[in-house]
Amino acid sequence: MGNAIQNEDYLFKKVYDHVLHRIERNEWKEHKKLPSVRQLASEMNIHRLTVLKAYQLLKQHDKVYVKDKVGYFVQSNVTKNLEYLDNPIVSAYVQKNHLSEIHQSPVSYNFSQALIDPNLLPNQYFSSYVKKVFDLYPKVLATYSTVQGDLELRESLTRYFINQYKTHLNPDNLLITSGSQQAIHLIAQTFIKSGDAVLFERPSYSAAIDIFRAQGAQIVTVDIHPNGYDLEQVERYLKQYKPRLFYLIPTFHNPTGYTVSAGQRKKLVELAEQYRCLLIEDDASHDIYFDHAPPPPIYTYDTAGTVIYIRSFCKYISPGLRIATVICQSSLMKSLITVKSLTDNGSPLLNQKIFLHYFSSLRMQQHLEKLRIALQIRKEIMEEELGVTDWKWTSPKGGLNLWVQLPDNLPTELLLTKSIEQSISFVPGQVCDPLKQLSSWIRLSFSYANEKQLSEGVKRFVAVAQSLL
Amino acid sequence: MGNAIQNEDYLFKKVYDHVLHRIERNEWKEHKKLPSVRQLASEMNIHRLTVLKAYQLLKQHDKVYVKDKVGYFVQSNVTKNLEYLDNPIVSAYVQKNHLSEIHQSPVSYNFSQALIDPNLLPNQYFSSYVKKVFDLYPKVLATYSTVQGDLELRESLTRYFINQYKTHLNPDNLLITSGSQQAIHLIAQTFIKSGDAVLFERPSYSAAIDIFRAQGAQIVTVDIHPNGYDLEQVERYLKQYKPRLFYLIPTFHNPTGYTVSAGQRKKLVELAEQYRCLLIEDDASHDIYFDHAPPPPIYTYDTAGTVIYIRSFCKYISPGLRIATVICQSSLMKSLITVKSLTDNGSPLLNQKIFLHYFSSLRMQQHLEKLRIALQIRKEIMEEELGVTDWKWTSPKGGLNLWVQLPDNLPTELLLTKSIEQSISFVPGQVCDPLKQLSSWIRLSFSYANEKQLSEGVKRFVAVAQSLL
């Protein structure tokens, strides 16, 4: 499955939009000559055939015309019918969040949300203990946090990481963000310019794909297998594409649940250093393991500052608080803080203080242990119900999802439509694939629906699927 | 004062960086020919002399070399000494937040923070009533908000705006953001591409200048006067520069405190419609008036969807919650929601619920009335202490700042250094000026220091200034 073909459709659309926006916004006026195919290809760092294809479609759509042997020219009156306000021209190349669109249909059997069922979180304890937080910080609602994040929280997290991983770290290496999604977005804004190559696992986290796309990145993919990657392929791509960064989820990977081995982690850091590629390690499910704790994060193998580590606790502690942390070396941190300051001037202090006190409590440890068992049970229920089919998946050792391969002849798009009619949701593999293929795979989350819903919902789902075969 | 000169230094640096980054990142390899001056100038939409100046400096810095009559070429070995990891190459043009740098010095007499003294906020009431919020929404910490923002909050704000301004509005026109800074950032990301012209008041909010700069905007400035703008100048610039948007703070403007008249508001909307320029109305101090309420927001005059309205309540209700709202027509809203979903996937639900209940309480109205009086007293103390000087300012009818003109021969940079030595901070006018001039003006905030600090601190400050004359 898959290889490093860059998404041609995407590049093609990028050229098409690049030209059309300039025409529509009257930057390129009628009868202006377009850049030559060679020139634009070199400027945008893409293949000439892609530019040619875009120019030809623009001609077909009557936006430009050709003079033989001279070149392409802007057609007159292109902007005439443009209703400016109804067609806002957005700045980024793909302003789309695929996953959030799926989540818009309310369903009874929700297997699309990789979120923890709110009933598994210690809500009552939270309510009573938040009052203590207000007693401790009576002016917490009247105060801004610093941009980098509350120092007390950063100190507490630093102690936690040092204790867990025996790593060198100080609070200046930590940035508090509003969820890991903001962290990914800050990193993309800080380090990626339009046209930059970035390496992605295939499949990967859909929102991260959308974020890097929106920043204009060209995504090169590496397949992820149950134990990691083909490291020779990784090295080849590092050499060939010189990616700025490699966005990866090495622990209980989303959507597959796979975990990269300790050996590969070490080797990856060496490769990244050698080829000067940042590793962006997104670690949102580290504590959600079923039997054994996973290997330490990749950043703990890093001595040269090649890894930017994103650790999120939101999902399994308190989704409503939106707290995550980014760890990296100081020269990278400086840029991230500036971008964070422009983005929202710091995450709310209240949320950081609430999180701080819960995170460092004994209660959290107890909560986690119970949560792991509850999630393992839900996973087993889902797997049991799926056992009647011949579908394939690798049973995950942690995380919130099953990554399931359906029979080739099952039409996934129709399956989604029919499932939503039956009040069942799931995530089609295509959405998790930077190349928009993997159409016989789906992601089923077992963390949001309760045991009864899982049992009933998966039965119904299997029935829907079988009716389509 | 001022005119529409674009900041040449900035453009020049942009070209310089554009070329240098490509060389350093090895996209343009050694001995590659650079684009011709004419070509790059057209591509970046700037003057050829600016490009030439940048090329010449690159030559002087030994990054490129010239072959007579052929062009500029990449020097060999430019990247040799580049310590990649210590010099992360950031994506945006100016990754700087000027104001947040000034705030880094802790001082006893803080006149640089345009924030409300935490002691003026109803902290005790807050602490006790937050408990009720947890009783009402026991799972609030376990739940994500929708991307657009909690519906109950949007409904409540919609009722408030309809009631206040008799305007047509429904909750779909509202987006909840994490503070107005995030709102500005979302708008810049959504509507601005590198090279786009945007109109700004001069002076303006420093962070907004930095945000639009970071997005690559070319800023054109219009002077703001105590009653508004020279509308003929505004129209001329709309015609000449075709700005994508006009970022403005028409009510108790930051930093000047000026308020644009109702007559000008109406006329501005007409101009914006005519020239298809979005008006971004940032309204952070609307309720902080001293005698009479200000004219209704510009967006209430808008019938064609030309205005995007940012209303922040954080500052005077609960800075720690970071809640603001954006109001606009649905086609623009759609893009903003997508960008918000990529940015952080929605603001924390807890903060929205706490804000909702306080905002709609009688207590808030009482708080506001007391706050207005307290701030007016602080303003009067500051003005009284400044009365011994011949410095000039227009006494503001609302807001948090005095905008003061110092004698021409007072060296402001030295004044800042000396003041900070005396534990006094203020904001130099330069920071608020997109053209980085206005060096004889300063912003003094009277909202953060208490009465005693104001009286003592301003006395000290005047003494420091007079010692430099």
PDB file of all heavy atoms in Angstrom, chain A residues 188-201:
ATOM      1  N   ALA A 188       3.095  24.063  12.682  1.00  0.00           N
ATOM      2  CA  ALA A 188       2.955  24.232  11.232  1.00  0.00           C
ATOM      3  C   ALA A 188       3.172  25.696  10.854  1.00  0.00           C
ATOM      4  O   ALA A 188       3.896  26.016   9.905  1.00  0.00           O
ATOM      5  CB  ALA A 188       1.588  23.752  10.763  1.00  0.00           C
ATOM      6  N   GLN A 189       2.573  26.596  11.614  1.00  0.00           N
ATOM      7  CA  GLN A 189       2.728  28.024  11.318  1.00  0.00           C
ATOM      8  C   GLN A 189       4.166  28.486  11.472  1.00  0.00           C
ATOM      9  O   GLN A 189       4.626  29.363  10.758  1.00  0.00           O
ATOM     10  CB  GLN A 189       1.919  28.848  12.308  1.00  0.00           C
ATOM     11  CG  GLN A 189       0.468  29.018  11.983  1.00  0.00           C
ATOM     12  CD  GLN A 189      -0.124  29.968  13.005  1.00  0.00           C
ATOM     13  OE1 GLN A 189      -0.151  31.166  12.822  1.00  0.00           O
ATOM     14  NE2 GLN A 189      -0.574  29.426  14.109  1.00  0.00           N
ATOM     15  N   THR A 190       4.847  27.925  12.463  1.00  0.00           N
ATOM     16  CA  THR A 190       6.191  28.407  12.786  1.00  0.00           C
ATOM     17  C   THR A 190       7.236  27.881  11.805  1.00  0.00           C
ATOM     18  O   THR A 190       8.154  28.593  11.430  1.00  0.00           O
ATOM     19  CB  THR A 190       6.571  27.979  14.217  1.00  0.00           C
ATOM     20  OG1 THR A 190       5.531  28.379  15.102  1.00  0.00           O
ATOM     21  CG2 THR A 190       7.879  28.621  14.654  1.00  0.00           C
ATOM     22  N   PHE A 191       7.098  26.630  11.406  1.00  0.00           N
ATOM     23  CA  PHE A 191       8.207  26.005  10.680  1.00  0.00           C
ATOM     24  C   PHE A 191       7.932  25.698   9.212  1.00  0.00           C
ATOM     25  O   PHE A 191       8.838  25.269   8.503  1.00  0.00           O
ATOM     26  CB  PHE A 191       8.651  24.732  11.416  1.00  0.00           C
ATOM     27  CG  PHE A 191       9.102  25.008  12.829  1.00  0.00           C
ATOM     28  CD1 PHE A 191       8.351  24.609  13.923  1.00  0.00           C
ATOM     29  CD2 PHE A 191      10.266  25.730  13.055  1.00  0.00           C
ATOM     30  CE1 PHE A 191       8.753  24.902  15.216  1.00  0.00           C
ATOM     31  CE2 PHE A 191      10.678  26.029  14.350  1.00  0.00           C
ATOM     32  CZ  PHE A 191       9.922  25.616  15.429  1.00  0.00           C
ATOM     33  N   ILE A 192       6.700  25.878   8.764  1.00  0.00           N
ATOM     34  CA  ILE A 192       6.383  25.478   7.391  1.00  0.00           C
ATOM     35  C   ILE A 192       6.025  26.672   6.519  1.00  0.00           C
ATOM     36  O   ILE A 192       5.179  27.487   6.879  1.00  0.00           O
ATOM     37  CB  ILE A 192       5.199  24.479   7.393  1.00  0.00           C
ATOM     38  CG1 ILE A 192       5.614  23.199   8.108  1.00  0.00           C
ATOM     39  CG2 ILE A 192       4.751  24.149   5.969  1.00  0.00           C
ATOM     40  CD1 ILE A 192       6.865  22.547   7.537  1.00  0.00           C
ATOM     41  N   LYS A 193       6.707  26.750   5.391  1.00  0.00           N
ATOM     42  CA  LYS A 193       6.321  27.717   4.384  1.00  0.00           C
ATOM     43  C   LYS A 193       5.681  26.960   3.236  1.00  0.00           C
ATOM     44  O   LYS A 193       5.968  25.783   3.006  1.00  0.00           O
ATOM     45  CB  LYS A 193       7.549  28.465   3.859  1.00  0.00           C
ATOM     46  CG  LYS A 193       8.113  29.434   4.854  1.00  0.00           C
ATOM     47  CD  LYS A 193       8.877  30.567   4.176  1.00  0.00           C
ATOM     48  CE  LYS A 193      10.087  30.072   3.430  1.00  0.00           C
ATOM     49  NZ  LYS A 193      10.988  31.191   3.084  1.00  0.00           N
ATOM     50  N   SER A 194       4.832  27.647   2.501  1.00  0.00           N
ATOM     51  CA  SER A 194       4.169  27.033   1.366  1.00  0.00           C
ATOM     52  C   SER A 194       5.199  26.358   0.455  1.00  0.00           C
ATOM     53  O   SER A 194       6.221  26.941   0.132  1.00  0.00           O
ATOM     54  CB  SER A 194       3.417  28.108   0.604  1.00  0.00           C
ATOM     55  OG  SER A 194       2.803  27.542  -0.508  1.00  0.00           O
ATOM     56  N   GLY A 195       4.919  25.127   0.087  1.00  0.00           N
ATOM     57  CA  GLY A 195       5.814  24.396  -0.797  1.00  0.00           C
ATOM     58  C   GLY A 195       6.810  23.509  -0.077  1.00  0.00           C
ATOM     59  O   GLY A 195       7.436  22.657  -0.702  1.00  0.00           O
ATOM     60  N   ASP A 196       6.947  23.679   1.233  1.00  0.00           N
ATOM     61  CA  ASP A 196       7.857  22.818   1.993  1.00  0.00           C
ATOM     62  C   ASP A 196       7.373  21.374   1.980  1.00  0.00           C
ATOM     63  O   ASP A 196       6.176  21.112   2.114  1.00  0.00           O
ATOM     64  CB  ASP A 196       7.905  23.261   3.466  1.00  0.00           C
ATOM     65  CG  ASP A 196       8.811  24.472   3.667  1.00  0.00           C
ATOM     66  OD1 ASP A 196       9.493  24.859   2.709  1.00  0.00           O
ATOM     67  OD2 ASP A 196       8.823  25.013   4.783  1.00  0.00           O
ATOM     68  N   ALA A 197       8.313  20.451   1.886  1.00  0.00           N
ATOM     69  CA  ALA A 197       7.952  19.042   2.002  1.00  0.00           C
ATOM     70  C   ALA A 197       7.876  18.662   3.480  1.00  0.00           C
ATOM     71  O   ALA A 197       8.700  19.103   4.285  1.00  0.00           O
ATOM     72  CB  ALA A 197       8.987  18.190   1.298  1.00  0.00           C
ATOM     73  N   VAL A 198       6.868  17.894   3.849  1.00  0.00           N
ATOM     74  CA  VAL A 198       6.810  17.307   5.194  1.00  0.00           C
ATOM     75  C   VAL A 198       6.510  15.816   5.052  1.00  0.00           C
ATOM     76  O   VAL A 198       5.807  15.396   4.140  1.00  0.00           O
ATOM     77  CB  VAL A 198       5.755  17.970   6.106  1.00  0.00           C
ATOM     78  CG1 VAL A 198       5.984  19.467   6.235  1.00  0.00           C
ATOM     79  CG2 VAL A 198       4.356  17.713   5.610  1.00  0.00           C
ATOM     80  N   LEU A 199       7.093  15.050   5.958  1.00  0.00           N
ATOM     81  CA  LEU A 199       6.878  13.607   5.951  1.00  0.00           C
ATOM     82  C   LEU A 199       5.715  13.290   6.887  1.00  0.00           C
ATOM     83  O   LEU A 199       5.597  13.875   7.966  1.00  0.00           O
ATOM     84  CB  LEU A 199       8.161  12.936   6.449  1.00  0.00           C
ATOM     85  CG  LEU A 199       8.607  11.633   5.810  1.00  0.00           C
ATOM     86  CD1 LEU A 199       8.707  11.758   4.302  1.00  0.00           C
ATOM     87  CD2 LEU A 199       9.963  11.208   6.382  1.00  0.00           C
ATOM     88  N   PHE A 200       4.867  12.367   6.465  1.00  0.00           N
ATOM     89  CA  PHE A 200       3.714  11.955   7.262  1.00  0.00           C
ATOM     90  C   PHE A 200       3.646  10.439   7.257  1.00  0.00           C
ATOM     91  O   PHE A 200       3.959   9.814   6.244  1.00  0.00           O
ATOM     92  CB  PHE A 200       2.424  12.492   6.627  1.00  0.00           C
ATOM     93  CG  PHE A 200       1.787  13.622   7.380  1.00  0.00           C
ATOM     94  CD1 PHE A 200       2.358  14.886   7.343  1.00  0.00           C
ATOM     95  CD2 PHE A 200       0.627  13.436   8.118  1.00  0.00           C
ATOM     96  CE1 PHE A 200       1.777  15.943   8.030  1.00  0.00           C
ATOM     97  CE2 PHE A 200       0.039  14.480   8.806  1.00  0.00           C
ATOM     98  CZ  PHE A 200       0.612  15.742   8.762  1.00  0.00           C
ATOM     99  N   GLU A 201       3.188   9.886   8.358  1.00  0.00           N
ATOM    100  CA  GLU A 201       2.836   8.480   8.318  1.00  0.00           C
ATOM    101  C   GLU A 201       1.570   8.330   7.474  1.00  0.00           C
ATOM    102  O   GLU A 201       0.745   9.232   7.395  1.00  0.00           O
ATOM    103  CB  GLU A 201       2.531   7.978   9.740  1.00  0.00           C
ATOM    104  CG  GLU A 201       3.739   7.965  10.637  1.00  0.00           C
ATOM    105  CD  GLU A 201       3.339   8.006  12.101  1.00  0.00           C
ATOM    106  OE1 GLU A 201       2.223   8.475  12.400  1.00  0.00           O
ATOM    107  OE2 GLU A 201       4.142   7.591  12.942  1.00  0.00           O
TER     108      GLU A 201
END
